Amino acid sequence: MFIIALLASCAAAASTPWMLGDETTVACYTLDTQEDIPMPAGLDMQWLLPLPAALSSAEPFVAEYVVTVDDAVFWSDAGNAAQLGAERERWRRLCNASATANNTGCAGGDTASCCVFHANLHSCRQSTGSACEPWVAPRNATVGDDGTSSGCATGNTTTTAATPAPESQTQVLVTHTAALTGVPGAFAQPLRLPSGSWVTIAHVKIMNFQCAVGALRRSVDPEPAAAGGTDSAAVAGIAAGAS
């Protein structure tokens, strides 16, 4: 069972792009001043491929997203320089793919040595008023590997597959895999959710920013196997071929 510290959101989300069906606009936030900002000039994030219209609750789908930094634009932008402050050159060095190819610190788990020090998929059940945003106050909730959770709890709570929380209370961000780190580029992680309607976001922390792009999807259970576990049409085809 995955037990991971989560972030919860029970606030209205009318202006969050993915809650409006916009799967291309990226929402960004500064890490130090906790301020919503436009996408920094020269920084881009997007799904490599749109998520399938319907996800399978039985089979994981490998979701891919990409984060890029246009060196010719990003590092010369005055607004970005102001946001990064005295750390600008350090970040520039860490975000240079060729210079960090042998970055043993980041590869060894030292996130302070990584340009991208968190890249992950998060999901939460779709419900009215749930933004499924990563930049909100932590609730330290935990969640079972079936994707259920305790909702907007104020303390430490645990929900397991044996005692799932009501769907109306599942407005906690669910994280199923460990975060990835590294330099700007493509990231891929498996996504498998219990049946129901979900909001899934790809979320990165890069330099002094965190950004996310999201999608609304439904996860469905597979069709039950035919009686006896054999497709009658397939049996007929085998019989015909044997005659």
Side-chain angles (χ1 to χ4, degrees):
M1 180 172 65
F2 299 102
I3 301 294
I4 298 176
L6 306 175
L7 304 177
S9 174
C10 294
S15 62
T16 307
W18 45 86
M19 299 305 293
L20 300 175
D22 183 350
E23 300 180 10
T24 59
T25 298
V26 179
C28 291
Y29 182 82
T30 58
L31 286 171
D32 57 354
T33 61
Q34 301 184 356
E35 176 187 3
D36 292 306
I37 59 171
M39 168 71 79
L43 180 64
D44 190 31
M45 180 181 183
Q46 58 185 288
W47 299 106
L48 275 177
L49 290 173
L51 299 184
L55 299 166
S56 170
S57 65
E59 297 292 333
F61 172 79
V62 178
E64 298 179 84
Y65 52 100
V66 63
V67 183
T68 58
V69 173
D70 184 339
D71 290 341
V73 176
F74 184 89
W75 301 110
S76 61
D77 183 80
N80 294 342
Q83 289 286 353
L84 299 179
E87 293 287 282
R88 178 176 175 273
E89 287 306 312
R90 183 179 77 88
W91 286 122
R92 185 171 188 166
R93 184 173 63 255
L94 292 178
C95 295
N96 185 309
S98 60
T100 57
N102 298 314
N103 186 340
T104 57
C106 182
D110 178 14
T111 56
S113 298
C114 302
C115 174
V116 178
F117 50 96
H118 174 100
N120 216 340
L121 298 174
H122 306 292
S123 303
C124 56
R125 292 218 184 246
Q126 185 180 352
S127 59
T128 302
S130 176
C132 205
E133 295 177 322
W135 39 85
V136 290
R139 295 288 190 254
N140 295 321
T142 54
V143 65
D145 60 357
D146 65 340
T148 56
S149 71
S150 61
C152 296
T154 56
N156 292 330
T157 56
T158 301
T159 298
T160 67
T163 57
E167 184 165 333
S168 61
Q169 295 181 7
T170 53
Q171 296 186 35
V172 168
L173 224 57
V174 178
T175 303
H176 295 280
T177 59
L180 302 175
T181 61
V183 294
F187 296 89
Q189 289 162 302
L191 175 68
R192 183 173 68 86
L193 297 166
S195 60
S197 297
W198 293 85
V199 184
T200 293
I201 62 172
H203 170 222
V204 298
K205 294 180 180 179
I206 175 170
M207 295 176 278
N208 189 35
F209 312 104
Q210 57 177 327
C211 296
V213 62
L216 281 67
R217 291 294 186 271
R218 185 164 185 82
S219 180
V220 297
D221 293 329
E223 293 291 333
T230 306
D231 187 340
S232 58
V235 171
I238 294 172
S243 59

